[in-house]
Amino acid sequence: MVGVMLDELELQARAQYDAGEYEHALAEFSVLREVRSRREGPYSVKYLRAMHDCVRCMRHLALWQDSDLLCSELHSKYLRTHGRGETDTVDVAKHWAWAMLHIDEVDAAVELYVVTADDLWAVDRAAAERLLGAAAAHLDED
């Protein structure tokens, strides 16, 4: 019963996200994150998905400091569960770097771009090159 309610809440949150209602979606994804962490554990697929959805909402809402903290945690968990160079790991690394750029952590963002590009080099060279380009562009700003 609770699982069904959580799935319905997730569908509602996704609909709000798709409608551009990021503040409401973030609130619901945050509830999902907390409940799923307690019920399923901090490495469950649904918990990690809720975290990732929170990060996406935070980017739209320009909540850079909050996004930085959540991305740090999520990236670490993805490295353990998904591995380096995997789609979700790379996506959260991009969100994290973007947040760091907005809180004036340019050197850390550039380092993350380079490390992620290295992780991608063997599997998606074009994506790795784009990340290296982003790193180079932000080095010029520093």
Side-chain angles (χ1 to χ4, degrees):
M1 173 105 161
V2 174
V4 172
M5 289 174 44
L6 292 176
D7 291 342
E8 288 176 10
L9 182 61
E10 185 173 355
L11 288 174
Q12 183 176 339
R14 287 195 189 293
Q16 289 174 332
Y17 181 88
D18 291 342
E21 297 176 22
Y22 304 116
E23 204 167 299
H24 292 118
L26 176 58
E28 293 193 12
F29 284 130
S30 295
V31 168
L32 282 168
R33 192 177 98 222
E34 291 299 320
V35 173
R36 291 202 187 280
S37 175
R38 284 189 220 124
R39 288 181 51 85
E40 301 164 11
Y43 289 92
S44 78
V45 172
K46 290 181 179 182
Y47 168 72
L48 294 175
R49 185 173 60 223
M51 281 184 79
H52 207 139
D53 289 330
C54 286
V55 166
R56 289 183 185 103
C57 290
M58 288 175 181
R59 181 170 180 165
H60 286 287
L61 296 168
L63 299 172
W64 306 121
Q65 194 68 43
D66 293 336
S67 183
D68 175 51
L69 296 171
L70 196 58
C71 284
S72 173
E73 179 183 349
L74 182 57
H75 189 261
S76 174
K77 289 180 182 200
Y78 275 163
L79 289 175
R80 289 186 199 115
T81 61
H82 290 53
R84 299 185 175 281
E86 294 298 320
T87 303
D88 287 335
T89 309
V90 172
D91 185 63
V92 80
K94 290 177 188 178
H95 285 289
W96 190 14
W98 192 247
M100 286 190 277
L101 290 171
H102 282 84
I103 59 172
D104 296 324
E105 295 289 336
V106 176
D107 291 341
V110 166
E111 182 178 340
L112 182 58
Y113 278 136
V114 170
V115 168
T116 305
D118 186 50
D119 295 338
L120 274 175
W121 194 258
V123 293
D124 189 347
R125 190 168 177 160
E129 289 173 348
R130 285 191 298 275
L131 289 173
L132 290 175
H138 293 293
L139 275 177
D140 291 343
E141 293 175 6
D142 199 23

